[in-house]
């Protein structure tokens, strides 16, 4: 691995926000691809943080400072990941479901879809089903995108889909889901229209769903 990516990885692991920004910039300066910086320097570091947490080698406060360092680095990377000259491809309402506060993955999906020309309405974290329904009625999105990182909050995805169905919104709006514990078979089980394991696959999937729709 490029030395600068290793340094970036370590700075996120240590939760050093200033160093993270510095190494993201250094990696951009030597013309590394933004996707490579993101995947190998940053997302891999968050995976490592998760593994350390699981092993009891780090705790919630450490996860939080790592997450903050990651978010700061992502802000620097954002303009480089986005292409700006595209017209609106459609509307996407996105949020992390009720009970769940994880938003790094959701933000990445939003950022990549925005870069692809979609209009994003981001409802943030801990979003109850009723809120998704209320906003979907108001803005009539093509897609509602749900994120969950906890096995205990995955059922909130089903609650949200059921609420959208009950409100009669499923004919006009498709629902896609994702997040580390979410699987394709869970997506089928709760009758989501789409599922993806990462942000770039999410873009391909949304493009495909909307191409089939029209
Ligand atoms: C950072 C982090 C935190 C931070 C979150 C900060 C923030 N602003 O997001 C804080 C410290 C707040 C936190 C808290 C907790 N966390 Co936490 N956290 C993590 C950690 C280390 C990284 C998550 C992350 O950002 N990954 C990087 C991003 C880029 O990846 P991602 O989220 O998976 O997203 C990608 C894909 O999943 C997909 N995707 C995501 N959303 C969507 C949506 C759609 C529509 C699509 C198509 C795709 C998609 O695309 C994304 C980009 O490629 C994970 C470890 C892990 N392996 O996931 C644990 C982890 C998720 N946390 C865990 C736990 C247990 C907790 C706590 C319960 C701890 C506690 N005891 O308090 C609390 C719960 C708080 C709550 N109510 O939500 C467990 C969950 C276990 C489980 N299976 O349920 C994990 C897996 C750690 C572990 N290995 O045990 N956490």
């Amino acid at each position: 691995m490029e030395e600068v990516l290793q340094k970036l990885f370590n700075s996120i692991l240590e939760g050093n926000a200033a160093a993270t920004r510095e190494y993201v910039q250094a990696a951009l300066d030597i013309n590394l691809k933004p996707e490579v910086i993101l995947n190998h320097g940053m997302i891999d570091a968050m995976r490592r943080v998760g593994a350390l947490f699981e092993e009891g080698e780090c705790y919630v406060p450490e996860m939080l400072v790592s997450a903050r360092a990651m978010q700061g680095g992502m802000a620097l990377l954002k303009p480089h990941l986005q292409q700006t000259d595209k017209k609106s491809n459609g509307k996407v309402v996105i949020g992390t479901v009720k009970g769940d506060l994880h938003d790094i993955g959701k933000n990445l999906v939003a950022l990549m879809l925005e870069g692809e020309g979609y209009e994003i309405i981001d409802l943030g974290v801990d979003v109850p089903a009723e809120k998704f329904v209320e906003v979907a009625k108001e803005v009539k999105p093509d897609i509602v995108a749900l994120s969950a990182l906890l096995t205990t909050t995955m059922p909130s995805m089903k609650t949200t889909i059921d609420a959208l169905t009950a409100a009669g919104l499923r004919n006009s709006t498709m629902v896609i889901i994702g997040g580390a514990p979410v699987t394709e078979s869970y997506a089928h089980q709760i009758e989501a229209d789409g599922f993806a394991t990462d942000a770039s696959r999410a873009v391909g999937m949304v493009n495909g769903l909307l191409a089939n729709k029209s």
Side-chain angles (χ1 to χ4, degrees):
M1 200 203 285
E2 288 274 352
E3 198 187 334
V4 65
L5 290 183
Q6 188 62 54
K7 286 183 173 160
L8 177 57
F9 180 100
N10 290 340
S11 65
I12 291 183
L13 210 58
E14 290 156 9
N16 185 337
T20 299
R21 283 195 301 274
E22 184 186 321
Y23 293 126
V24 167
Q25 193 56 54
L28 287 169
D29 289 346
I30 59 165
N31 290 326
L32 289 183
K33 282 207 180 108
E35 292 78 14
V36 171
I37 303 173
L38 179 67
N39 289 323
H40 299 298
M42 304 174 79
I43 294 183
D44 280 358
M46 290 311 295
R47 283 212 187 97
R48 182 80 191 112
V49 172
L52 289 172
F53 175 78
E54 212 164 326
E55 289 158 17
E57 297 289 326
C58 90
Y59 302 96
V60 173
E62 284 95 340
M63 278 206 288
L64 200 54
V65 285
S66 290
R68 289 207 184 117
M70 166 98 184
Q71 303 265 37
M74 257 164 63
L76 257 184
L77 210 54
K78 183 173 173 176
H80 301 272
L81 285 166
Q82 288 183 334
Q83 302 140 19
T84 45
D85 55 345
K86 293 199 176 167
K87 60 177 187 337
S88 175
N89 280 336
K91 265 187 219 168
V92 179
V93 167
I94 191 166
T96 302
V97 295
K98 188 173 176 189
D100 202 316
L101 302 175
H102 296 84
D103 67 356
I104 296 176
K106 184 249 323 151
N107 292 347
L108 261 179
V109 173
L111 193 142
M112 304 283 263
L113 286 173
E114 200 181 338
E116 187 69 9
Y118 292 97
E119 186 186 333
I120 304 296
I121 298 105
D122 188 344
L123 303 183
V125 297
D126 192 16
V127 182
E130 308 79 61
K131 182 72 187 171
F132 280 107
V133 170
E134 182 194 317
V135 175
K137 275 186 183 158
E138 195 184 307
V139 307
K140 302 188 173 48
D142 300 282
I143 303 261
V144 171
L146 308 176
S147 181
L149 263 286
L150 300 170
T151 40
T152 48
T153 55
M154 281 167 63
S156 300
M157 293 179 142
K158 178 167 167 36
T159 313
T160 305
I161 290 184
D162 290 348
L164 289 164
T165 307
L169 292 164
R170 285 301 291 289
N171 291 334
S172 51
T173 305
M174 287 184 272
V175 183
I176 63 168
I177 66 170
V182 179
T183 59
E184 178 107 56
S185 79
Y186 185 69
H188 280 302
Q189 194 188 317
I190 67 169
E191 295 179 352
D193 299 290
F195 156 79
T197 49
D198 62 48
S200 45
R201 288 194 175 90
V203 169
M205 185 246 303
V206 168
N207 286 342
L209 283 176
L210 293 184
N212 290 337
K213 188 182 171 190
S214 54

